[in-house]
Amino acid sequence: LVPVAGQIASVAVEPHAQVAPGQTLFTLHDTSRLEIPVAVPVSRALLLAPGLRAPSGGAGAGRSRIEATITPSAVVGGPRWSGTVQRFEPIDATAQTVPAVVELAPRPGEDPPPVGLFCSVELRGGPALPGPFVPRAALYEGGVVWTVQDGKLAARRVETGAAFGDWVEVRAGLEGVDEVIVSPLERPLPGEPARRLGAGAQGPGAAARAAGSGAGGA
């Protein structure tokens, strides 16, 4: 007898074939708990920051749950399953995504999705962090960031909060409309003239990109 219920993934013998003791007959997927990998864009994952760890136990204890609704990608009005994000894998720097692993545990009497099925996944986390966020590269020793005020450099001492990837939450000291310099500065001085190099890529809540006269390439 098979020790668990599940879905047959592959069959290693033909019908009516003779088999030997210990021979593998088939491979079975345990469907009592399934894992679904989801590639979440970094900018979207940042909005889930209050619940970025497992919902209970281990390193994620005390964090908010991130709920998931799973539906088949190619079926309109098809079945729906519920799950939770169990963990996040390291950031994929090339694709700029965060691999999230959603665990799906079918309820009693509920048919699980076929193993290998392509699904659409909707994630719902806690409330978004208020921000703003700045790149780690914009933080200098002593919790200082450099901003542009009236076309000149100005130092701001900030209080930082949650960190995610290359972005850090600023809890105090900045407003969402402040222009923060993210290019490297060599020996910056308050009041030094600054010039903008372009808007560039920005994260949620981050200010416009600028560079001072002592900056390297943006």
Side-chain angles (χ1 to χ4, degrees), residues 18-45:
Q18 291 185 340
V19 295
Q23 180 180 345
T24 299
L25 304 181
F26 54 85
T27 302
L28 188 72
H29 285 304
D30 180 3
T31 55
S32 61
R33 288 188 180 275
L34 298 173
E35 287 191 345
I36 303 173
V38 181
V40 183
V42 170
S43 59
R44 298 292 184 88

Side-chain angles (χ1 to χ4, degrees), residues 26-187:
F26 54 85
T27 302
L28 188 72
H29 285 304
D30 180 3
T31 55
S32 61
R33 288 188 180 275
L34 298 173
E35 287 191 345
I36 303 173
V38 181
V40 183
V42 170
S43 59
R44 298 292 184 88
L46 194 60
L47 300 178
L48 297 171
L52 276 180
R53 296 183 182 271
S56 62
R63 291 279 187 163
S64 302
R65 291 171 63 93
I66 299 179
E67 305 287 349
T69 299
I70 302 101
T71 55
S73 296
V75 179
V76 178
R80 299 165 66 91
W81 299 276
S82 298
T84 55
V85 173
Q86 291 301 303
R87 66 183 183 275
F88 282 84
E89 304 291 350
I91 293 175
D92 185 331
T94 302
Q96 285 296 293
T97 58
V98 182
V101 179
V102 174
E103 183 180 274
L104 187 159
R107 295 184 290 268
E110 181 181 49
D111 291 330
V115 174
L117 177 71
F118 284 93
C119 298
S120 297
V121 179
E122 176 186 342
L123 300 179
R124 300 179 302 280
L129 292 175
F133 288 82
V134 297
R136 288 181 184 272
L139 288 170
Y140 288 80
E141 186 177 355
V144 170
V145 299
W146 287 89
T147 65
V148 178
Q149 294 182 359
D150 299 324
K152 298 179 181 180
L153 295 182
R156 291 278 193 91
R157 189 175 300 277
V158 298
E159 176 188 344
T160 58
F164 185 75
D166 294 329
W167 297 89
V168 179
E169 177 196 10
V170 176
R171 293 182 174 175
L174 282 181
E175 300 293 337
V177 295
D178 287 331
E179 292 187 323
V180 177
I181 297 176
V182 299
S183 298
L185 293 173
E186 298 179 2
R187 298 183 296 276

